[in-house]
Amino acid sequence: MPTTKTPRLTVLGAGPGDPELLTLKGARVLGEADVILYDALANNDLLQHARPDAVTVFVGKRRGLRSYSQDEINALIVEHAQQYGHVVRLKGGDPFVFGRGREEMLYAEQHGLATDYVPGISSAVAAAGSVGIPVTHRGASEGFRVITATTATGELSSSVAEAARSRSTTVILMGLGELDRIVALYTQHGQANTPAAIVQNGTLPTARFVAGSVAQLPALAKQAGIGAPAIILVGEVTRLATAENLAETLPTDVFALLPAYAEVA
């Protein structure tokens, strides 16, 4: 039976992993939801903000569990909004950073739903920062770019090649499975020795990371057992990672660089 409530959708960013990094508005919205459709990258602890009677549906991709296609998720949004009222689509990081959040809103709007968007902290910045890596730092990087490793068809994104020619910080999301191809492309553009890092589960107690040169990343990741979800960072700022975690993965002269950065900070 259709609800008497106004069918609506709120696309909500869950943040980078640490449940305490959810925004205050995000917590309020979760408490107002009639239905919560949540992804694998959204920390399950966030569901504690939901009402006891709220319907919660896992729609993410996780090994051993059924995966929903985007078309199925779009349909679920509309169906549940029409049946229950307020649907909150809880997505990891920020839903407008390679999260297809606006795509879901447009589909909902085409089917008569009111929509809203609540930003989340993106792992592109927070995961790096959680291990001491700023995406910008005076004297090391004056800008940064965030790219995805592959296109919608699964091909290596042309943005990777553009980034390989850049000297600003590059953050690559969803790229661990393409690490060898990414490293080969950077090497082709003469950046094999550029400082780089991989951060897994950034902001969580289970966070792990490796840092070294671009060319060293595959071996370092394999040795450390790094897996998804993880971000790849390329640029001088990776030398600023938390010192206690760098001793075995970066050249010993890395610490001599830090005073030079401090002089211009």
Side-chain angles (χ1 to χ4, degrees), residues 46-62:
L46 296 179
L47 298 179
Q48 296 176 5
H49 295 287
R51 300 197 320 259
D53 63 336
V55 177
T56 59
V57 183
F58 173 72
V59 295
K61 297 179 180 179
R62 188 175 290 164

Side-chain angles (χ1 to χ4, degrees), residues 134 137-140 240 254-265:
H137 187 84
R138 290 209 300 174
L240 297 170
V254 64
F255 301 107
L257 293 172
L258 301 184
Y261 290 150
E263 289 174 6
V264 295

Side-chain angles (χ1 to χ4, degrees), residues 75-100:
L76 282 174
I77 289 170
V78 174
E79 291 169 7
H80 282 73
Q82 292 173 342
Q83 182 175 356
Y84 297 100
H86 186 192
V87 172
V88 170
R89 181 73 170 93
L90 184 62
K91 304 170 74 70
D94 182 278
F96 279 14
V97 181
F98 300 116
R100 306 183 77 167

Side-chain angles (χ1 to χ4, degrees), residues 128-151:
S130 71
V131 296
I133 301 174
V135 291
T136 63
H137 187 84
R138 290 209 300 174
S141 174
E142 296 179 350
F144 71 100
R145 66 175 69 195
V146 181
I147 64 175
T148 181
T150 56
T151 66

